[in-house]
Structure formats: C-alpha cells, structure tokens
C-alpha cells in the first residue's frame, strides 16, 4: 500500500459548471483528494454560487479555510443576461412565469438607466434565496407556497456596464447582457428584476457567470474535468494556488526566525516601524499569520500552522 500524500494547503479555483451546487464542488475536491491518495484535510468554499450560475468558485484547502470568511466578504464580478418580457417567481429560468410585458427596451434605454443602479442601492432579495425568515430558509417557504417577505438591504454596485454589442442579436431588445462589480450580499437576480421594472417591463436572468471573486479571476479557474484528473494521479500542485493568493491585497511583512516564532505563539511584537494596518507575516516564503499593526504593536488576527520548523 502506497504511503498517503501529505495534506495540502491553498486554493483550487473551480470554474463551476451550470447545474453543480457549491457544496457539490467542495465534495468533488474532497473526492479527488481521497482518490488521489492525499491525507484528509479541511475543504470549504469561499462564497456560494447558485447551481444555475457558473464561473469562479474559490475552494480553500487546509489552512486556507481560515481565510474563507474573508472571501465571503470580498466583492465579486458577474456577467448576466436579462431576458425582458417575463418575470419568474425565482427570477431565473427555473421558476414559473408570474408577470409578462410587451415592452422591449433598446440598448440606449438600458444604458440610460444603469446609473440609477450604480453606487449604494437598496434591494429586496429574491424569495427563492437562502436567507432565513423566522428560522426557516426563504426558498423552503417559497417552495411550500407561503408568502415570503424579505427586508430591503443596502448593497453597493461598484460598476455596471453593458457587455458587448447586445443589439446585434436577432431578437433586438429581447435581452441584454451586463457586467456588474458588486459588494457582498448583492443579489444579481434582484438587480435584474429591478432594472427591468425601472425600464417599464419585467425580466429574469437567463445566464449568470461569476468572473471574479475577491482576488481570484476566471483565468485562474480550472474545469471540473481538470480537477478530476487528480483522482487518476495528476499532481495537485499544478492546480493549487498558495494560501497567500487569497491575500493579494494585503502587504507581506517578512520576519526573522525569532519574530516569526513569537507571532506563531500569539505573542505581541512592539516598536514595529510599519504603518498601522493589516499584514501577512511571512518567514521566507511561508505565511505565519495575518496580523494587525496598531501604533507599532502587532495583534494576530489569524494564525497559520505551516511552519514545521518553528517551535510550538
């Protein structure tokens, strides 16, 4: 019997196909690690992506799971298509049509209204969402035929633009594809609904792709087929991004062995010359901890157990 391969730490960026749930994506990674002969390790995703959506799904392995919460808080970029003339109860192609309209906005109409949906906006999440109402998932209540009333929430749309030349389509005005850079908690299906209504019509999402999640882009994403090669012996290292790839917006702070050991043990460093802020403390090329420096004093925000040569 061959010796198990060591547990690994880092990120796999899955190009999630339509029809696959986020938890199924995590399960696929676990299965490939197991069948590929790797020791068991923690696996989690950095932000749910609906089964009908596709695109960038960051999956954290080992110590990188400690950063999954940061990924949930990160902004995201989506491409999505609104089909005008029909609104469904799920606001996507899965649901039943609940409203229709003969109004078909032009590209110019859409362009003129995008500014109203850029910046800080208020939106009502879809009834078919994972939000809880009186302890129950909204989508469970909606599927049971119960009326679901969700509170308006504040979100931020950093940028909203028309993607490509939508008016070149044969059914001119029937649909438009947009790109949205949004804050956490933004529902693209709600955004599509509200844009359609503001244009004097109704609509629903027929295509949704996440092209960026936090620091991770679709250029880094691998297909499910590529992931499945790991179970047949393909080297995981060729697909894995390092833990610190999830911290590309945070400056690295290189420490010597003594200070790295102190941080590893949760002790405070004083008289640090760096400006106050968040840093990724490193020993050589190994992340030691996410630390906060305040007026020259460090505080460990999140420690990483990656230094086998640092004393406990």
């Amino acid at each position: 019997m061959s010796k198990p391969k060591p547990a690994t730490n880092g990120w796999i960026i899955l190009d999630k196909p339509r029809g696959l749930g986020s938890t199924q994506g995590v399960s696929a990674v676990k299965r490939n690690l197991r069948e590929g002969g790797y020791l068991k390790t923690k696996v989690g995703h950095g932000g749910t992506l609906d089964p009908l959506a596709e695109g960038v799904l960051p999956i954290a392995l080992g110590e990188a799971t400690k950063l999954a919460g940061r990924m949930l808080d990160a902004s995201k970029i989506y491409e999505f298509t609104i089909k005008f003339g029909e609104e469904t109860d799920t606001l996507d192609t899965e649901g039943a049509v609940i409203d229709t309209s003969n109004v078909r906005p032009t590209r110019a109409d859409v362009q003129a209204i995008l500014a109203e949906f850029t910046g800080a906006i208020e939106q009502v999440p879809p009834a078919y969402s994972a939000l809880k109402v009186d302890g129950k998932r909204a989508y469970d209540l909606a599927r049971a035929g119960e009326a679901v009333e969700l509170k308006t929430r504040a979100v931020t749309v950093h940028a909203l633009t028309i993607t490509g030349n939508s008016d070149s389509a044969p059914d001119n005005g029937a649909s438009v594809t947009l790109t949205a850079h949004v804050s956490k908690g933004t529902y693209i299906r709600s955004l599509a609904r509200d844009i359609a209504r503001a244009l004097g019509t109704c609509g629903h999402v027929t295509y949704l792709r996440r092209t960026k999640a936090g620091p991770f882009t679709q250029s880094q994403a691998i297909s499910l087929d590529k992931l499945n090669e790991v179970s047949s012996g393909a080297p995981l290292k060729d697909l894995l991004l390092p833990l610190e790839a999830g911290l590309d917006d945070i400056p690295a702070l290189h420490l010597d062995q003594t200070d790295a050991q102190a941080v590893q043990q949760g002790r405070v460093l004083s008289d640090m010359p760096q400006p106050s802020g968040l840093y990724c403390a490193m020993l050589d090329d190994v992340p030691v901890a996410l630390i906060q420096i305040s007026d020259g004093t460090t505080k460990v925000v999140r420690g990483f157990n990656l230094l086998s040569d640092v004393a406990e």
Side-chain angles (χ1 to χ4, degrees), residues 6-293:
T8 191
N9 306 281
W11 298 91
I12 288 177
I13 312 305
L14 183 64
D15 192 338
K16 188 189 82 63
R18 187 179 175 120
L20 187 80
S22 298
T23 53
Q24 290 174 302
V26 170
S27 296
V29 170
K30 289 180 177 179
R31 175 180 55 79
N32 275 278
L33 292 176
R34 183 176 64 252
E35 294 178 1
Y38 291 87
L39 288 171
K40 189 175 181 180
T41 189
K42 286 184 178 179
V43 183
H45 63 73
T48 301
L49 199 53
D50 288 346
L52 281 179
E54 59 186 63
V56 176
L57 178 65
I59 298 180
L61 280 66
E63 291 295 289
T65 58
K66 295 177 178 179
L67 299 175
R70 282 182 51 82
M71 209 53 55
L72 297 176
D73 290 341
S75 66
K76 318 283 194 305
I77 297 179
Y78 295 90
E79 285 184 3
F80 63 104
T81 299
I82 310 172
K83 179 183 177 182
F84 295 115
E86 294 180 339
E87 183 175 316
T88 66
D89 53 6
T90 59
L91 303 180
D92 57 26
T93 56
E94 286 281 275
V97 175
I98 57 173
D99 193 16
T100 61
S101 171
N102 292 322
V103 176
R104 300 293 183 270
T106 65
R107 180 185 174 95
D109 292 334
V110 176
Q111 184 64 58
I113 209 165
L114 295 185
E116 294 181 24
F117 294 93
T118 306
I121 65 169
E122 302 269 328
Q123 67 171 200
V124 177
Y128 284 81
S129 66
L131 295 175
K132 287 190 175 182
V133 179
D134 296 328
K136 296 182 179 180
R137 296 290 185 187
Y139 55 65
D140 288 332
L141 296 172
R143 286 170 185 157
E146 296 186 33
V148 178
E149 291 189 16
L150 294 171
K151 295 179 180 178
T152 299
R153 58 165 57 188
V155 298
T156 302
V157 178
H158 302 291
L160 184 61
T161 57
I162 296 178
T163 306
N165 185 9
S166 299
D167 274 359
S168 64
D171 52 346
N172 182 28
S175 65
V176 67
T177 300
L178 304 172
T179 299
H181 179 195
V182 300
S183 69
K184 72 167 184 174
T186 304
Y187 282 92
I188 297 299
R189 287 176 291 151
S190 292
L191 185 61
R193 172 200 62 204
D194 296 343
I195 288 172
R197 288 179 179 177
L199 288 163
T201 183
C202 55
H204 66 278
V205 171
T206 58
Y207 166 79
L208 178 59
R209 178 174 180 80
R210 187 157 69 192
T211 60
K212 192 168 190 268
F216 300 120
T217 66
Q218 60 186 357
S219 66
Q220 298 167 299
I222 62 167
S223 68
L224 194 58
D225 287 343
K226 192 74 175 175
L227 172 65
N228 288 337
E229 293 175 5
V230 172
S231 64
S232 303
L236 181 64
K237 63 179 177 61
D238 292 347
L239 309 179
L240 198 67
L241 297 178
L243 176 148
E244 61 269 26
L247 299 171
D248 78 336
D249 58 334
I250 295 174
L253 176 59
H254 292 277
L255 303 176
D256 59 25
Q257 181 80 27
T258 302
D259 285 347
Q261 181 173 335
V263 169
Q264 181 82 351
Q265 295 173 345
R267 294 192 310 222
V268 170
L269 302 180
S270 302
D271 301 321
M272 302 294 287
Q274 291 79 11
S276 296
L278 202 59
Y279 293 84
C280 182
M282 308 279 292
L283 177 61
D284 298 325
D285 60 351
V286 179
V288 178
L290 196 59
I291 63 171
Q292 179 78 38
I293 296 181

